[in-house]
Amino acid sequence: MRGSNFIIFFLIIFVSLATPVGVRCQQLTVISDLKQSYTLAMESAVDDAMDGIVESDSGDVISLNKQFLLDRFFHTLFINLGCTADTVKQNAIKAYIPIVLLVDTDGYYIYYSDTVSGSDGETIIAKNWTDKLTFTYVEENGGRIFNFTLGDVVNVYDPNTNHVFNMDYRDLAKLSLFNTDDPDNKCYRSSLLCDGNFDTIRRTAIINAITDSMTYYINQHNHVAQHYGFTYHFSLPYISEDDWARTIDDISMIAFFQGYPYVSDAPQLGYFNLYSIGGARVVKPDYYYIMSDSTGTKYYHKKNCVNLSSADFSVWAHPYEDPRQCAKKGAFPCPDCNP
């Protein structure tokens, strides 16, 4: 074989091998750009919805208008995806959002899919909000039912005495019903309140409740999707610890986007599977609390100061937003927590 023929033969082999590699690299670049654009669109939509909460904050109580927040989420999402006037694409995108979670201060709501019969008897997909679901924990030794909040207040029902309590967990821990064992009267010491486990158990209970509910409604979305010919299997993705922390520290929203093909006419290239979390970012003041020491001298403390471990309800009932307010009451800054 002459040298020129060999070179031509080599070039043919090289081009035949390089062409699919080049196409594949081009596809990967397109997919990477699409993933980034959809991720940014989801993050922007969730953040915009949460900004709506901040705008409606009255300063004391934040009232969640679920539909307003959801509409704001979709409005921003459709703008970012360039389909504000394309209702067909909008409906397609909604079909690939199995659930939207909205976390409130004392529970959470899930926007989910279901099937209903239309006026013509045809089965159609309907979207609904659940009633408020609670962060519930049942204590093993006493059977008491704790409904947590995102803060330190907890609602407790004791089935043995039919008593209901709703207060700061530190005040509950001082009650004999929770800090002593009295089997004759069906009263048992609470390991949750008395052994320093409250925050750990509270956070775990909140995460478990949300996870179980999201898994249930995502699975329900699979049944709805299969009814309409979807082959993609929706499932709850891994959520990082940092993202979980954001859901249990403040009002927040989580939205999932799954099963949408990167390239509509080439589903073999893969599907989107992403989620976005946004917190309300409502800035709350740092409160201070005044308590007298054994000599009668008044000191003001940060909320988590160790010196407040023996504080009674009268102390917690009178928070102060400014150290100057505390000083006007004759209180000095605590030397331990340095407020």
Side-chain angles (χ1 to χ4, degrees):
M1 181 181 291
R2 288 189 297 178
S4 59
N5 291 337
F6 179 81
I7 293 173
I8 293 172
F9 176 76
F10 175 79
L11 288 174
I12 292 173
I13 297 298
F14 176 79
V15 170
S16 64
L17 294 174
T19 299
V21 173
V23 172
R24 180 63 175 172
C25 289
Q26 185 178 14
Q27 290 174 337
L28 291 176
T29 300
V30 170
I31 289 172
S32 178
D33 291 342
L34 283 172
K35 289 174 69 175
Q36 183 177 10
S37 65
Y38 272 76
T39 298
L40 292 175
M42 287 285 289
E43 290 176 350
S44 177
V46 169
D47 286 343
D48 194 41
M50 291 296 94
D51 285 343
I53 292 179
V54 177
E55 292 175 6
S56 63
D57 178 17
S58 66
D60 296 316
V61 178
I62 301 174
S63 178
L64 296 184
N65 184 328
K66 300 187 296 298
Q67 194 57 46
F68 166 76
L69 298 175
L70 186 71
D71 290 344
R72 186 161 177 154
F73 164 77
F74 279 120
H75 176 72
T76 302
L77 182 63
F78 295 151
I79 289 176
N80 289 328
L81 295 182
C83 59
T84 53
D86 189 343
T87 57
V88 173
K89 186 175 182 180
Q90 290 177 8
N91 290 330
I93 289 172
K94 287 182 177 181
Y96 290 102
I97 296 179
I99 61 169
V100 176
L101 170 77
L102 184 60
V103 180
D104 201 352
T105 56
D106 58 349
Y108 58 101
Y109 306 89
I110 293 180
Y111 183 70
Y112 67 97
S113 302
D114 200 358
T115 55
V116 298
S117 296
S119 57
D120 57 357
E122 292 290 326
T123 300
I124 59 175
I125 296 178
K127 294 281 191 175
N128 300 292
W129 283 103
T130 65
D131 294 331
K132 179 176 282 189
L133 306 172
T134 56
F135 310 125
T136 301
Y137 169 81
V138 180
E139 198 168 46
E140 292 182 2
N141 59 353
R144 288 173 289 235
I145 301 172
F146 290 76
N147 288 325
F148 293 113
T149 67
L150 299 185
D152 296 330
V153 174
V154 59
N155 180 277
V156 186
Y157 168 68
D158 190 325
N160 299 306
T161 62
N162 283 327
H163 287 161
V164 177
F165 305 86
N166 188 65
M167 62 180 72
D168 190 292
Y169 78 93
R170 285 170 286 247
D171 294 316
L172 276 172
K174 298 170 187 175
L175 302 178
S176 60
L177 182 67
F178 297 96
N179 62 25
T180 60
D181 279 329
D182 185 6
D184 292 337
N185 293 309
K186 296 183 178 180
C187 295
Y188 299 91
R189 186 173 184 272
S190 172
S191 59
L192 187 155
L193 296 175
C194 301
D195 292 339
N197 297 325
F198 178 81
D199 194 57
T200 299
I201 295 177
R202 179 189 69 86
R203 297 172 75 88
T204 301
I206 291 174
I207 292 174
N208 287 344
I210 291 174
T211 299
D212 289 346
S213 295
M214 288 196 301
T215 300
Y216 173 83
Y217 284 105
I218 288 178
N219 284 335
Q220 179 167 308
H221 188 78
N222 276 315
H223 296 300
V224 173
Q226 288 173 5
H227 185 79
Y228 286 89
F230 283 59
T231 58
Y232 182 86
H233 181 77
F234 295 84
S235 61
L236 182 65
Y238 169 77
I239 298 177
S240 69
E241 292 185 7
D242 289 342
D243 283 339
W244 274 126
R246 293 165 65 187
T247 68
I248 56 181
D249 286 338
D250 205 346
I251 295 171
S252 57
M253 173 183 281
I254 307 180
F256 297 85
F257 184 68
Q258 299 179 334
Y260 197 73
Y262 296 134
V263 181
S264 59
D265 57 353
Q268 71 275 10
L269 296 178
Y271 304 87
F272 288 99
N273 185 2
L274 55 91
Y275 69 89
S276 182
I277 296 179
R281 300 189 300 275
V282 180
V283 179
K284 302 179 179 65
D286 292 324
Y287 290 115
Y288 305 92
Y289 300 87
I290 296 176
M291 189 173 72
S292 301
D293 66 6
S294 57
T295 66
T297 304
K298 293 182 179 178
Y299 290 95
Y300 62 91
H301 311 264
K302 293 180 180 178
K303 178 180 179 180
N304 296 321
C305 180
V306 65
N307 293 314
L308 291 177
S309 59
S310 60
D312 57 25
F313 181 74
S314 63
V315 173
W316 298 110
H318 295 89
Y320 298 87
E321 294 184 7
D322 194 316
R324 289 174 295 183
Q325 296 177 347
C326 300
K328 290 180 180 180
K329 296 292 183 179
F332 298 94
C334 170
D336 295 315
C337 64
N338 297 312

